[in-house]
């Protein structure tokens, strides 16, 4: 069974050691997903698999047979860019842009986690039916995505605004 990338089927690599990140970038020419540390420390390689965020540098492509992978290229539809992408521009949530695809995919994964009530390390009430995306929750949940340009204030503002506006989907 192939893997689906942004709705299009792709062959899995014959070599089981190939990471999902390298499949995207080196084989499929999807260069939007970035390679930063290549060891799970920076978040630049974040993509969505069946709506959940993962670090594609730590994932073997063959593990994702039959799964739906969404990269930054898959977020732009007929209506243009995703609202979160617009918000990043409006709030200056980037400088060089290298971390941005990972930030945006990660934030979309965050929105899905909030929708299903998944707690984080700073969630005070683990029995709460709904969790509020406080500034502490947002920063904790995005702490795996580093920005060496220091655009974190704009990133947080863009994510908070998009979430509050209910434009997360
Ligand atoms: S490149 Fe994957 S976490 Fe840094
Ligand atoms: S915008 Fe340059 S690393 Fe984040």
């Amino acid at each position: 069974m192939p893997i689906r990338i942004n709705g299009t089927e792709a062959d899995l690599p014959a070599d089981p050691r190939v990471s999902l990140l390298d499949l995207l970038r080196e084989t499929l020419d999807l260069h939007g997903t970035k390679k930063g540390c290549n060891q799970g420390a920076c978040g630049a390689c974040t993509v969505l698999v069946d709506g959940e965020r993962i670090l594609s540098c730590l994932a073997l492509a063959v593990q994702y047979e039959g799964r739906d992978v969404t990269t930054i290229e898959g977020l732009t539809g007929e209506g243009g860019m995703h609202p979160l992408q617009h918000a990043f521009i409006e709030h200056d949530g980037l400088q060089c842009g290298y971390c941005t695809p990972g930030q945006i995919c990660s934030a979309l994964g965050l929105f899905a986690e909030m929708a299903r009530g998944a707690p984080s390390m700073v969630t005070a009430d683990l029995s709460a039916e709904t969790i509020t995306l406080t500034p502490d929750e947002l920063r904790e949940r995005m702490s795996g995505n580093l920005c060496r340009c220091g655009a974190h204030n704009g990133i947080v503002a863009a994510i908070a605004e998009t979430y509050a506006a209910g434009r997360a989907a």
Side-chain angles (χ1 to χ4, degrees):
M1 193 184 301
I3 189 171
R4 279 182 301 282
I5 313 286
N6 300 328
T8 300
E9 291 189 349
D11 291 331
L12 287 164
D15 186 340
R17 297 168 297 181
V18 173
S19 70
L20 179 58
L21 177 59
D22 284 344
L23 174 70
L24 294 171
R25 291 182 56 84
E26 309 300 333
T27 305
L28 302 177
D29 287 335
L30 291 169
H31 299 127
T33 306
K34 298 295 187 280
K35 182 180 282 188
C37 63
N38 205 29
Q39 56 182 16
C42 74
C45 65
T46 306
V47 298
L48 298 165
V49 177
D50 296 329
E52 291 189 20
R53 51 183 170 173
I54 68 157
L55 299 173
S56 61
C57 71
L58 296 184
L60 296 174
V62 293
Q63 289 177 280
Y64 294 89
E65 183 177 13
R67 309 284 296 275
D68 277 299
V69 177
T70 304
T71 70
I72 192 74
E73 291 91 343
L75 298 183
T76 301
E78 290 180 2
M81 289 193 299
H82 189 282
L84 184 56
Q85 292 176 293
H86 285 291
F88 265 66
I89 295 170
E90 288 163 13
H91 288 278
D92 280 337
L94 67 152
Q95 186 171 313
C96 75
Y98 199 82
C99 73
T100 312
Q103 300 277 4
I104 288 174
C105 287
S106 188
L108 294 177
L110 178 164
F111 294 158
E113 289 159 18
M114 293 297 295
R116 64 173 186 271
S120 78
M121 285 294 291
V122 299
T123 304
D125 183 0
L126 297 181
S127 62
E129 288 193 8
T130 57
I131 299 169
T132 302
L133 190 61
T134 63
D136 279 352
E137 281 282 358
L138 199 163
R139 290 177 187 277
E140 165 62 21
R141 290 170 188 266
M142 290 300 296
S143 62
N145 290 82
L146 307 181
C147 174
R148 296 194 64 173
C149 295
H152 287 290
N153 285 342
I155 291 167
V156 167
I159 295 170
E161 181 190 82
T162 304
Y163 185 77
R167 296 183 296 173

